[in-house]
Amino acid sequence: MTDRTIRNLAHLRRSASTARVLNLLKIGIEHSHESDWAERPIFRTPALNRALIIKHRLRRDELDCFYLRRQVATKVVIPLDPSDLKSGGRYVFVGQRDFERVMREAFGISPGHPDMQTLALLDRLPSLDPFLLREQLKRGGLDPATCYFSISDADRERMASFVEEQIRPLVTLSLGRDLEAVGSTRRLADKIMSNRPADHMEALRRTLRLELEEYEEGVFCWKGFLYYKWVLTSLGVEAVAVADAVQTVRPIGKVDRDARIWMDRSRALLRDRIIETCNEAQLTLSVYDVAFAGLTGEQRPGAFRDFLLDSPRLFSKLGDQLGAIQHIVSFWRYRFSPGASGVGVEELIDIFMDFEAGLAAHRGGVVAPRWAA
């Protein structure tokens, strides 16, 4: 690791988990005294359960680490000294060449170990957003302690209410408009948000003529679309606020002419790309809206069937788009919160470059990232 990488890795020591980072080290420090943390860990291997799990944009020299081409990988970082991240850490990419050998030598776990299955579940997610992480693990038969997921009861209830309203047309199509008498909207919402969709919604699967595996995968992605749609209702406002703040933030210390020119260019570029990425996410969500309207408004189940079949690809695309925005908003909230220390010129340039890299990644752009990941 370079000095810059180590310094930025140290920032993760203080920050919480985000859509891009699952900070198991910080969670362990804050909750290791709780029995629930010890009895229901995400990973059974102690070193893994205090690691930093990062959705990492691969650099050009890292592409050959994999058999198949990919842009984003799941990176597991094990700190050399958990109390001082400036000392750096060792890392491995999930699914890299010789992954099983590396895990056996580093952690003593075999390909069939439960932790390998957990890593595979995380690797299949487009982001480490707490809600999607929790649902994916439950889908894989895991139920870690709630301290691993920063989802409040109030947020869960708001999400359930949002899903209720979103699927109301489907209930209306099935049962008519007398919804409150039968309570069907909440029951169907609960079924969609459950982790055994095929057990509860067999009639819909038959209507859509989908195989069980296709249907389960599609409903999981449908759930993800509903969640991301809910997220975007508030994230869009925060993203615009950050885009505006980027224009006015000033570093402490002297700024030379070259740095000022670069930052002025980056400010304009970042604002445009933040807004553009939000708009692109909205367009991706509109694919679902059109398909759902085809099912409920036009009684064309084929449109929704096609959406569910294509939903894994669309879900991954949407996760890339919103994951980049979520990372920017959450990191900005953390680093520029009231009372936070001032940001120097070099650090602000690093932050801008990291944001540019994340926003360029889903567009296929090639910008060398300079952040911890």
Side-chain angles (χ1 to χ4, degrees):
M1 289 188 173
T2 66
D3 289 341
R4 176 165 292 159
T5 299
I6 292 170
R7 184 175 64 253
N8 288 318
L9 185 62
H11 287 319
L12 292 178
R13 172 71 162 74
R14 301 188 300 272
S15 63
S17 298
T18 68
R20 184 175 163 189
V21 179
L22 176 58
N23 194 336
L24 296 176
L25 175 62
K26 187 172 188 291
I27 292 170
I29 291 171
E30 295 179 350
H31 298 277
S32 58
H33 63 284
E34 300 171 7
S35 59
D36 208 28
W37 176 87
E39 295 168 4
R40 298 164 58 198
I42 282 186
F43 294 106
R44 299 184 185 184
T45 306
L48 285 176
N49 211 47
R50 288 182 177 269
L52 298 169
I53 313 296
I54 303 170
K55 285 296 180 179
H56 170 81
R57 295 180 302 273
L58 294 171
R59 305 178 179 100
R60 290 189 208 180
D61 60 346
E62 294 169 335
L63 296 176
D64 289 339
C65 293
F66 298 86
Y67 294 106
L68 300 176
R69 184 172 179 82
R70 57 190 301 178
Q71 290 185 334
V72 177
T74 305
K75 185 176 186 178
V76 181
V77 181
I78 307 297
L80 294 175
D81 181 355
S83 64
D84 180 17
L85 292 191
K86 291 182 179 179
S87 62
R90 296 190 175 92
Y91 66 85
V92 60
F93 293 121
V94 177
Q96 70 176 48
R97 296 175 186 269
D98 296 327
F99 177 61
E100 293 178 353
R101 178 187 60 78
V102 172
M103 295 301 289
R104 184 171 56 252
E105 293 178 356
F107 302 103
I109 60 178
S110 64
H113 192 280
D115 285 347
M116 295 288 275
Q117 299 171 33
T118 301
L119 287 170
L121 287 171
L122 301 189
D123 193 43
R124 287 198 287 271
L125 283 173
S127 77
L128 296 171
D129 181 279
F131 176 85
L132 297 179
L133 176 64
R134 175 175 171 269
E135 295 303 310
Q136 176 78 325
L137 291 175
K138 281 192 172 183
R139 188 174 173 226
L142 302 174
D143 186 24
T146 56
C147 63
Y148 292 102
F149 316 105
S150 56
I151 311 170
S152 67
D153 290 339
D155 276 348
R156 274 192 287 267
E157 180 57 33
R158 281 192 287 269
M159 173 62 185
S161 298
F162 179 82
V163 172
E164 261 189 84
E165 190 59 34
Q166 289 291 307
I167 55 89
R168 185 174 292 270
L170 183 57
V171 179
T172 302
L173 175 67
S174 304
L175 301 174
R177 297 188 176 279
D178 188 18
L179 303 176
E180 298 306 323
V182 295
S184 297
T185 311
R186 173 52 70 112
R187 285 201 295 272
L188 182 57
D190 290 342
K191 290 176 182 179
I192 292 171
M193 301 308 288
S194 77
N195 290 283
R196 297 191 309 274
D199 293 343
H200 301 293
M201 299 172 66
E202 181 64 19
L204 181 58
R205 184 181 76 83
R206 290 197 302 267
T207 298
L208 297 174
R209 303 193 310 278
L210 290 171
E211 297 297 326
L212 181 60
E213 185 175 348
E214 294 173 332
Y215 182 67
E216 289 186 341
E217 182 70 16
V219 170
F220 174 73
C221 295
W222 179 13
K223 184 188 307 185
F225 263 72
L226 288 170
Y227 176 70
Y228 277 142
K229 191 172 183 179
W230 176 68
V231 164
L232 194 57
T233 58
S234 60
L235 184 65
V237 175
E238 291 187 87
V240 171
V242 172
D244 291 338
V246 163
Q247 307 301 299
T248 59
V249 66
R250 294 291 182 269
I252 58 176
K254 184 178 179 180
V255 182
D256 63 35
R257 180 176 177 275
D258 289 342
R260 182 177 294 105
I261 292 173
W262 187 93
M263 283 193 291
D264 287 345
R265 179 209 63 83
S266 187
R267 291 179 199 278
L269 180 65
L270 277 176
R271 190 184 192 288
D272 289 346
R273 287 192 175 173
I274 289 172
I275 303 302
E276 179 183 324
T277 303
C278 286
N279 290 337
E280 289 174 353
Q282 191 63 62
L283 284 174
T284 305
L285 283 168
S286 71
V287 175
Y288 159 73
D289 291 333
V290 170
F292 190 67
L295 172 67
T296 59
E298 304 168 26
Q299 298 186 29
R300 290 189 297 108
F304 198 66
R305 180 181 188 275
D306 291 341
F307 163 75
L308 290 183
L309 288 173
D310 199 30
S311 61
R313 180 186 66 82
L314 293 171
F315 179 53
S316 180
K317 178 180 180 181
L318 186 60
D320 288 342
Q321 292 166 338
L322 285 182
I325 297 299
Q326 285 175 301
H327 167 63
I328 288 172
V329 169
S330 62
F331 187 83
W332 193 274
R333 188 190 303 129
Y334 151 73
R335 188 61 187 90
F336 296 94
S337 61
S341 60
V343 175
V345 177
E346 188 176 355
E347 184 183 355
L348 188 59
I349 289 175
D350 277 351
I351 291 171
F352 281 5
M353 290 188 72
D354 173 51
F355 289 176
E356 281 190 41
L359 294 168
H362 75 87
R363 297 157 51 100
V366 180
V367 179
R370 298 173 64 183
W371 193 65

